[in-house]
Amino acid sequence: MFSIKTFAFNLLQENTYVVSDDTLECVIIDCGAYYDDERKAITEYIDSRGLKPVHLLATHGHWDHNLGIDTIYQTYGLQVEAAKEDDFIITDIPRNFQSIIGAPLRREYPPVGRYFSPGEVISFGNHSLQVLKTPGHSPGSVVFYCAEEHTAFTGDTLFRMSVGRTDFEGGSYTDLMASLVHVLAKLPSDTVVLPGHGPQSTIDYELHYNPYLQTF
């Protein structure tokens, strides 16, 4: 069994996840820590429990999901791992932040450490996460799926009762619908959905009540 700590960070209340098991290895998914107290909160959580971060993962490249990757790099030496298709987004976080918020972001971010391979499985402790390609919200959006724990970290591809926007650069409504039909709707119905914003859900609930999934 693994343990999941959820933080709601930054101006957009983005969900950051720290996932660990009894080996004390952990992965950090979508580190959106922006304010100083948020950056302190995630490192204090990790350090106070004696956790060892071994992967820093991004479901996609948007700034609100990656504002804190510099803190993780500076503290634990981990560079973010992401999809190559989102390289044009994640490599310019300050510009993308300013284009949406209208205020400068005076931080320097480390380069992407590694890009996901097709069909990749990421291991930590006694667990593994399958990287599922789910383009649409962004061209490089992925879902991290843990079969043994019946859990999917869906980023901004799937929310409770909704889906991610597709009007940002590189977004595609057609691709998003295809990701829902061919990837997420095929997961076991008891899969817990842990999205990039908002409350958790399940695949079964979304198939019954999410208007974007009603035709499947």
Side-chain angles (χ1 to χ4, degrees):
M1 180 176 293
F2 61 24
S3 175
I4 303 170
K5 173 65 174 178
T6 306
F7 298 90
F9 281 154
N10 71 57
L11 300 79
L12 300 187
Q13 290 294 281
E14 175 271 342
N15 290 333
T16 293
Y17 299 100
V18 179
V19 189
S20 60
D21 65 16
D22 57 7
T23 69
L24 300 184
E25 287 193 348
C26 72
V27 296
I28 303 162
I29 299 174
D30 287 359
C31 188
Y34 172 62
Y35 300 104
D36 288 344
D37 61 341
E38 294 176 343
R39 293 166 182 265
K40 182 178 179 182
I42 191 169
T43 56
E44 283 191 346
Y45 173 81
I46 292 168
D47 295 345
S48 67
R49 285 156 180 78
L51 301 181
K52 179 185 178 183
V54 293
H55 292 284
L56 171 60
L57 307 175
T59 60
H60 62 293
H62 289 154
W63 59 265
D64 55 315
H65 292 254
N66 295 284
L67 284 168
I69 63 174
D70 56 333
T71 289
I72 302 304
Y73 174 68
Q74 292 160 8
T75 308
Y76 306 108
L78 292 179
Q79 291 171 261
V80 69
E81 302 168 43
K84 180 67 174 177
E85 294 85 347
D86 272 10
D87 181 72
F88 73 102
I89 308 171
I90 200 169
T91 55
D92 202 356
I93 293 171
R95 181 183 67 84
N96 291 313
F97 176 91
Q98 185 162 1
S99 71
I100 299 297
I101 300 301
L105 178 63
R106 296 184 176 89
R107 290 186 177 275
E108 293 186 6
Y109 285 90
V112 175
R114 193 175 64 84
Y115 295 103
F116 301 132
S117 302
E120 181 169 349
V121 174
I122 295 170
S123 298
F124 70 100
N126 297 318
H127 288 82
S128 60
L129 298 170
Q130 185 178 359
V131 182
L132 306 177
K133 295 187 67 174
T134 55
H137 176 65
S138 72
S141 287
V142 300
V143 165
F144 301 113
Y145 174 57
C146 183
E148 61 260 48
E149 299 286 354
H150 308 278
T151 301
F153 300 88
T154 60
D156 287 1
T157 297
L158 178 63
F159 303 131
R160 182 179 176 89
M161 297 287 289
S162 190
V163 296
R165 294 171 58 173
T166 58
D167 58 335
F168 295 123
E169 184 180 3
S172 167
Y173 183 81
T174 300
D175 288 348
L176 180 63
M177 292 301 105
S179 293
L180 295 177
V181 173
H182 299 302
V183 181
L184 289 171
K186 303 296 185 184
L187 294 178
S189 62
D190 65 345
T191 300
V192 175
V193 172
L194 295 175
H197 303 268
Q200 71 179 52
S201 187
T202 65
I203 292 296
D204 181 68
Y205 185 90
E206 297 310 306
L207 287 172
H208 280 90
Y209 300 110
N210 190 320
Y212 294 93
L213 290 161
Q214 287 304 289
T215 59
F216 305 157

